[in-house]
Amino acid sequence: MKDNFNRNIDYLRISIIDRCNLRCIYCMPEEGISNLLPHHEILSYEEILKIVEIGVDLGITKIRITGGEPLLRKGIVSFIERLAKIEGIQDIGMTTNGVLLKKFAKDLYKAGLKRVNVSLDSLNQDKFRTITRVGSIGEVLDGIEEANKVGLKPVKVNVVVMKGINDDEIEKFALWSKEVEYQIRFIEFMPIGQNAWKKELFMPKDEIKEKIENKIGKLIPFQMKKSGPAEYFMLEGAKGIVGFISPITTHICVRCNRLRLTAEGKLRPCLFSDRELDLKRILRSGASTEEIKETIIRTIHLKPQGMSEQSQPLRPMSTIGG
Ligand code: SAM
Ligand code: SF4
């Protein structure tokens, strides 16, 4: 279905949990989220599946499961299996911090998950621990390797770049793309919720790109069939790809094709907008399929043309679902 700016909305990102086993400095306060949802406030798998079925009627074909950390939710494999059986769903991806990926990768693939995006902001254990506050890098690297081995390909590695924190590892990450068939994607640090965002920590895409080209070599543009908001490049002779997602310095909103469903059942038209419609309340009030469809259509029409119209969203990223 088209929104008011002629963008085709065919992608739904679903946060299935607000909890996480890491505490990334760019996403959460050190003590975690104080007002975590009680279990009954989180959409059940049945409710999510119902929303997806109705979304498919409106043209949704692509789903991404995210969180918090989606692999923490019980029953995730059978949920993916049921999701994959919905006629009209062509693609299911997941964004995960990778900590539990080694354990789940094979079963997820068998259940119908097509690919994973794994967040990894440092290749150094001490730095990784500084950024995630509690994480252990070995688990994540093992998870990435396993995902690639079982066929959850191409594995996309998401690196949020923060000046003075992990920008010294940009070349290391880019060089990694020469050896492995992953897509290493550098993401501009976004001010979301009450996170640690400061102008001094922000590094624009052009600066990241320049750093790679100065130190390693030319980034050759790489045309991806469906690139979404990312721009892709290859280093000479590389097995993998280098990508950039620059929501702050590039007008990526013209290509936006997505809605976001939070774990508590709020449907959001835009990451950078705090407008949201309470789909859970409507669903639990016994609304008809038509009424739910109507709410989804209204949300699509609420999509702003661009993030310049918006302010910093109040919700932390872990509860919106990145
Ligand atoms: N826990 C999972 C993970 O970390 O991949 C999924 C949820 S996380 C909120 C989704 C994505 O949002 C991650 O790739 C993370 O790096 C990204 N993210 C979170 N806060 C961000 C911020 N302030 N700026 C840019 N990306 C952010
Ligand atoms: Fe957890 Fe992902 Fe947020 Fe890190 S980015 S705290 S792993 S939800």
Side-chain angles (χ1 to χ4, degrees), residues 118-229:
V118 184
S119 308
L120 178 64
D121 309 301
S122 174
L123 291 167
N124 168 284
Q125 169 56 29
D126 292 341
K127 182 83 62 73
F128 180 80
R129 176 60 66 102
T130 304
I131 295 173
T132 62
R133 296 192 178 106
V134 289
S136 161
I137 193 176
E139 294 170 332
V140 183
L141 291 171
D142 287 352
I144 291 175
E145 215 175 288
E146 182 71 8
N148 187 56
K149 197 169 98 191
V150 302
L152 289 167
K153 290 189 200 184
V155 175
K156 294 179 184 172
V157 177
N158 287 344
V159 187
V160 177
V161 180
M162 291 162 287
K163 211 176 235 176
I165 297 184
N166 62 349
D167 60 324
D168 57 333
E169 291 193 61
I170 290 171
E171 293 110 86
K172 212 171 9 160
F173 271 110
L175 280 172
W176 200 26
S177 80
K178 287 194 151 203
E179 298 157 30
V180 290
E181 49 181 331
Y182 312 149
Q183 295 180 7
I184 313 291
R185 309 190 315 166
F186 297 99
I187 303 179
E188 284 179 348
F189 183 17
M190 298 182 278
I192 293 179
Q194 304 302 308
N195 70 358
W197 196 91
K198 277 193 271 177
K199 219 161 90 197
E200 306 83 83
L201 293 178
F202 179 70
M203 192 158 186
K205 174 199 80 182
D206 286 348
E207 210 175 312
I208 305 171
K209 198 165 163 235
E210 200 178 297
K211 213 166 176 180
I212 297 173
E213 294 204 303
N214 284 345
K215 293 275 174 59
I216 307 175
K218 189 157 175 46
L219 284 164
I220 306 151
F222 185 89
Q223 209 52 48
M224 202 77 78
K225 236 207 244 148
K226 280 193 173 169
S227 61

Side-chain angles (χ1 to χ4, degrees), residues 26-27 66-69 95-97 119 158 160 187-190 195 317-318 322:
Y26 53 75
C27 179
T66 178
E69 176 44 41
T95 304
T96 167
N97 60 30
S119 308
N158 287 344
V160 177
I187 303 179
E188 284 179 348
F189 183 17
M190 298 182 278
N195 70 358
M317 190 69 155
S318 62

